[in-house]
Amino acid sequence: MGVADLAEYPWDAVAPYAERARRHPDGIVDLSVGSPVDPTPQPVRDALADATDAHAYPQTIGTPALREAIVDWYARRRGVPGLTTAQVLPTVGSKELVALLPLLLGLGPGDIVVHPRAAYPTYAVGAALVGATAVAADDPAEWPDGTRLIWVNSPGNPDGRVWDAGSLVSAAARARELGAVLAGDECYAELGWEAPWDVEPIPSVLDPRVTDGAATGILSVYSLSKQSNLAGYRAAFLAGDAELVSRLLTARKHLGLMLPAPVQHAMVAALQDDADVAAQKERYRARREVLKPAVEAAGFRIDASEAGLYLWATEGRDAWQSLDRLADAGILAGPGHFYGDAFPQHVRFALTAPDERIAAGAARLRSL
C-alpha cells in the first residue's frame, strides 16, 4: 500500500452530523476535534516576532538554544535528567513524525508496527505508507514476533489512558526482546486529572525507571500544540536513543524536514514558560469539571480519561447512533470508529472548546 491507496480522510464522514448540529438555534457545540481555541501565550508570540528576519535556511537539527531548551525541559518537567543535545531533534509538528517514522526507520513489507487498540489513526497510516502491517494491541505479551516499531500513547488519544512506570518497564523489556523501537507519544503528558496523575507527573518512556540510564531503542515524541496552544506553529520534538536520533536527522536533512527559524525561536520561549502552561491546564480542568458530569447525566459511561484532552464515553450503542442523538442537541463528537475497530460504541468529547460553548454543551447534555 502507498499514498494512493489510503482511505478517504475519516472526518469527512462526520460532515452530515456537523451540518445538523449547526442548525441548532444556539449554534453548534463542536467537541469533535482537539484543536486549541485559547490564545498562544504572549511570550511565545513575542519571540516569534523577534525572529522574523529569517533570511537563511534553518537547521534541521535545531538551533543550539532550542536543543538546550528541550534537554532542560525534559529534566525539569518530565523527570528525565542527563539527556544531551545529540539526543533531541525538533520536528514539524508531531503528526508528520508519527506518519513518517516507519519510513525514516527503514520499515517495509513484512514488518509489524504495533499501536494501541484505541488509537490515533496516523499510527496505522504510517505503517500503510511503507507496506508494513499495523497490529492493535495494548498488552506487551501480545506484541508479535516481527514487530519493529511499537507506539505507546500515554496519555492516550482518544481514551486518556496513562501507562504507569511499571507498565512502561514491561513495554521496554518486550521491545528489547523483539528488537523493536519503542516510541512514546506523550503529547498530553502535562494534562493529568485523576489520582495519582492529578499530583504525580505522568512518566515518560525515557524515565530512568524505564531506561535504567540507557535510552537504547527508545524515543519520546512531544508536541507543544496542546500545552502552549501552538498547533498552528507545528512545534514538536523527539528525544531518546542518540543513534536513532542521528539516523532520523540524516533522513530528515535529505527530505528537507526543517522547522522555520522563527518557530524554533518561539519554541525556546514556550519550553521555558511554565506559568502559561499551568494556566492553560487550569482552563482545561475547569472545562472538564463542567463537561464530565453532564456527559454522565446524558447516560454515557466514561472510560479511562484520567488524563489528556478528551472524555472517552459510551452509552452502549453504536457511535453513529450516539452522534445522531447528539446532533439533534446541536453537539458534535468524534465517533469511536475512527480510533480502531475495538470501540464502535464509544465517542470522544474534546475539552477544546471555549468556556461558553462548554457550558452550552453541558446544559444541552443534561436535557437529553
Side-chain angles (χ1 to χ4, degrees):
M1 177 178 285
V3 175
D5 301 304
L6 292 175
E8 291 295 320
Y9 197 61
W11 284 101
D12 294 345
V14 173
Y17 299 91
E19 181 58 33
R20 281 176 50 206
R22 289 190 189 97
R23 297 190 199 120
H24 190 278
D26 188 37
I28 187 173
V29 175
D30 190 348
L31 306 177
S32 64
V33 181
S35 183
V37 298
D38 300 304
T40 300
Q42 194 63 48
V44 180
R45 296 159 70 180
D46 291 343
L48 184 79
D50 289 344
T52 52
D53 182 16
H55 49 271
Y57 286 110
Q59 296 174 285
T60 303
I61 196 173
T63 64
L66 176 54
R67 283 179 280 145
E68 288 285 358
I70 295 171
V71 167
D72 292 345
W73 179 85
Y74 267 101
R76 188 178 77 254
R77 302 297 303 180
R78 304 292 285 121
V80 181
L83 291 178
T84 70
T85 55
Q87 292 179 270
V88 301
L89 184 64
T91 65
V92 190
S94 58
K95 184 171 183 175
E96 64 91 342
L97 179 69
V98 172
L100 292 178
L101 190 57
L103 173 67
L104 300 178
L105 291 175
L107 274 61
D111 295 325
I112 294 172
V113 176
V114 167
H115 61 74
R117 292 175 68 238
Y120 184 53
T122 309
Y123 304 128
V125 168
L129 284 173
V130 298
T133 300
V135 172
D138 293 327
D139 184 349
E142 297 176 355
W143 297 344
D145 291 340
T147 298
R148 292 192 57 200
L149 174 61
I150 299 160
W151 282 105
V152 171
N153 184 201
S154 176
N157 172 15
D159 62 354
R161 175 193 178 192
V162 174
W163 288 61
D164 61 23
S167 298
L168 290 174
V169 168
S170 297
R174 179 58 177 157
R176 285 193 298 272
E177 290 175 0
L178 294 166
V181 172
L182 178 65
D185 181 347
E186 303 175 350
C187 297
Y188 303 92
E190 290 277 7
L191 303 174
W193 310 121
E194 297 179 6
W197 314 120
D198 54 341
V199 293
E200 283 185 28
I202 292 169
S204 169
V205 288
L206 296 178
D207 189 295
R209 293 169 292 181
V210 179
T211 65
D212 199 22
T216 306
I218 301 178
L219 295 171
S220 163
V221 178
Y222 203 82
S223 167
L224 299 180
S225 295
K226 310 305 190 254
Q227 70 178 47
S228 298
N229 300 323
L230 295 189
Y233 285 52
R234 310 313 302 134
F237 49 88
L238 61 87
D241 184 331
E243 181 180 348
L244 286 175
V245 170
S246 178
R247 286 173 52 194
L248 295 174
L249 172 61
T250 298
R252 294 175 72 82
K253 285 180 177 178
H254 285 293
L255 294 171
L257 293 171
M258 48 189 153
L259 268 173
V263 174
Q264 295 195 36
H265 191 65
M267 285 176 69
V268 175
L271 288 163
Q272 295 171 345
D273 183 12
D274 292 350
D276 280 307
V277 172
Q280 185 59 46
K281 180 176 181 177
E282 290 311 306
R283 292 186 191 103
Y284 285 134
R285 184 193 304 278
R287 289 168 186 161
R288 187 177 186 273
E289 288 176 353
V290 171
L291 189 61
K292 181 175 183 289
V295 169
E296 292 171 327
F300 289 86
R301 183 189 74 235
I302 296 174
D303 293 333
S305 306
E306 61 259 33
L309 273 183
Y310 310 105
L311 297 174
W312 186 231
T314 179
E315 55 177 344
R317 56 179 173 171
D318 188 85
W320 294 114
Q321 293 179 299
S322 294
L323 255 68
D324 188 68
R325 179 185 179 218
L326 292 167
D328 286 340
I331 298 170
L332 188 66
H337 300 282
F338 289 1
Y339 305 100
D341 298 330
F343 299 94
Q345 295 186 336
H346 279 71
V347 296
R348 191 191 75 170
F349 295 92
L351 305 179
T352 52
D355 293 346
E356 181 273 333
R357 289 289 84 188
I358 292 285
R364 296 177 196 182
L365 285 164
R366 290 184 182 280
S367 70
L368 287 177

